[in-house]
Amino acid sequence: MKPLLAVLALLPCSVAGAMELMPINDLRVGVGASLGTTVSEEVRTDTTNADYDWTGNHGITVRYEVDYFNGLSRRGVAKPGFIWGVGALYSDTDIRPSRFEQRGGASVVNDRKRLGLQYRQYGAALYAGYATQPRITEYGEWNLEFLPVARGGYAWSETVDGANDRTEAGGGKFWEGGFQIGWTLADKGWLLNIFTGYAYGVAEVPIDITGGTSTLTITRSAPELGLTVGGRF
């Protein structure tokens, strides 16, 4: 009987401790930007067997994302330690080149510049890393996050059909890996996160063209910068 009474006596303390140490949940939406996209193309048709590097006029990649993050808190204040997250993303890049540089051959001017060539990503992201001890200020609590990140999903891109004055499009897959360093300010259930980082990734997109196939290999190796806002509950 006495052991049971001892367990019952400790139960309120255990419940109080569990309520004191609870997870934090963040829902964040934001936008990021990066440079550093390169494009190569393999054209295989009935009359052409050529490899090209696209040069010039590759635009900024703009990525939109919605992310969920989870970590620990004590009495509603975030604790230092492990933090993880998962999200969905969409990005768009103007990959229209100034020239097509044929490997071991001629350099071809892109005289179809009125045809905008786009590269888009639809995918998911996974984060897992470390958050520092929050510091309390008059504006709220802020901390740093160090987050390795992996992304992947569906890639969609366009190319110029050399036999026609038009674009053709196709779909493939992409993957990216990198890291982010973020500064987060949270107050009264709201948060602001500014991050920078680096990402490297590759997409392969086969596209049907007149008489054959064009395969684009799109590589990203670039620093990133972004901003997210959201809620903490």
Side-chain angles (χ1 to χ4, degrees), residues 125-211:
L126 180 64
Y127 310 84
Y130 180 81
T132 65
Q133 174 69 45
R135 301 184 67 175
I136 308 300
T137 72
E138 60 180 310
Y139 304 106
E141 59 184 77
W142 70 268
N143 68 299
L144 295 175
E145 298 172 350
F146 302 89
L147 295 169
V149 56
R151 305 185 185 106
Y154 176 75
W156 178 94
S157 191
E158 294 177 309
T159 189
V160 174
D161 189 332
N164 301 281
D165 189 17
R166 67 184 186 191
T167 62
E168 297 292 350
K173 58 186 177 181
F174 81 94
W175 64 266
E176 289 181 0
F179 66 89
Q180 291 181 359
I181 300 174
W183 179 86
T184 301
L185 177 68
D187 184 47
K188 298 179 180 179
W190 293 93
L191 66 88
L192 169 72
N193 174 267
I194 300 172
F195 67 86
T196 185
Y198 172 86
Y200 175 84
V202 177
E204 290 192 359
V205 182
I207 302 173
D208 292 332
I209 59 176
T210 302

Side-chain angles (χ1 to χ4, degrees), residues 64-131:
Y64 304 94
E65 56 189 75
V66 179
D67 300 312
Y68 165 78
F69 283 91
N70 179 278
L72 281 179
S73 72
R74 184 179 295 276
R75 296 179 180 177
V77 178
K79 284 176 56 64
F82 180 71
I83 184 172
W84 67 273
V86 63
L89 65 92
Y90 163 77
S91 72
D92 194 359
T93 311
D94 181 353
I95 57 172
R96 175 176 41 192
S98 296
R99 306 181 73 87
F100 302 99
E101 303 284 350
Q102 186 171 353
R103 298 174 198 170
S107 177
V108 181
V109 176
N110 178 17
D111 57 1
R112 299 180 179 90
K113 293 180 181 179
R114 66 180 179 81
L115 299 176
L117 303 179
Q118 299 299 119
Y119 167 57
R120 295 176 183 143
Q121 295 176 333
Y122 306 83
L126 180 64
Y127 310 84
Y130 180 81

Side-chain angles (χ1 to χ4, degrees), residues 22-100:
M22 295 287 286
I24 60 168
N25 300 280
D26 292 353
L27 185 61
R28 309 178 187 182
V29 296
V31 61
S34 66
L35 295 169
T37 301
T38 61
V39 183
S40 61
E41 180 178 26
E42 295 181 356
V43 178
R44 303 292 184 264
T45 70
D46 298 335
T47 58
T48 303
N49 186 357
D51 296 338
Y52 298 94
D53 292 319
W54 295 16
T55 61
N57 291 357
H58 295 167
I60 296 174
T61 296
V62 179
R63 184 180 69 249
Y64 304 94
E65 56 189 75
V66 179
D67 300 312
Y68 165 78
F69 283 91
N70 179 278
L72 281 179
S73 72
R74 184 179 295 276
R75 296 179 180 177
V77 178
K79 284 176 56 64
F82 180 71
I83 184 172
W84 67 273
V86 63
L89 65 92
Y90 163 77
S91 72
D92 194 359
T93 311
D94 181 353
I95 57 172
R96 175 176 41 192
S98 296
R99 306 181 73 87
F100 302 99

